[in-house]
Structures are given as structure tokens and as C-alpha cells.
Amino acid sequence: MTETIKMKPGFIYILTNKNNTTLYVGVSATLVKRIQQHKEKIDKKSFTARYN
């Protein structure tokens, strides 16, 4: 018997700060929404909010 595995689409993304001194690597199934969350700095204590 063959089992079917359902795969969800996903993206691996890399962000950097203005001076390219810090990298952030993330994974998301909703890339556009996730990047917008980073830009809006939803969580003020998050890595990307601190490093811009």
C-alpha cells in the first residue's frame, strides 16, 4: 500500500539590516504576510524589530 503525503508550500527567507551586519533566517508558508509582520514590528522585542 502506498501512502500519500500532503506537502504544504513553504518558503525559507533571509533578512538583513541596513548595514548588512546581521542576518535573520525564517520559514513561512505565507511569505508576503510574514514579511509585512516584520516590517510592522508587531513584537517590539523580536529580533527583527531590534535590528531593523
Side-chain angles (χ1 to χ4, degrees):
M1 180 162 103
T2 305
E3 213 173 299
T4 303
I5 299 173
K6 251 187 175 177
M7 302 291 282
K8 291 183 179 182
F11 302 91
I12 298 171
Y13 61 95
I14 302 171
L15 303 176
T16 188
N17 61 343
K18 189 175 183 178
N19 298 323
N20 295 324
T21 57
T22 304
L23 293 176
Y24 175 87
V25 178
V27 178
S28 178
T30 56
L31 185 60
V32 174
K33 180 179 176 181
R34 187 66 182 119
I35 297 300
Q36 190 61 40
Q37 290 172 337
H38 284 296
K39 286 182 177 181
E40 292 173 359
K41 300 178 183 175
I42 301 291
D43 180 359
K44 303 298 180 195
K45 293 182 180 182
S46 72
F47 184 85
T48 52
R50 286 186 286 141
Y51 287 92
N52 258 335

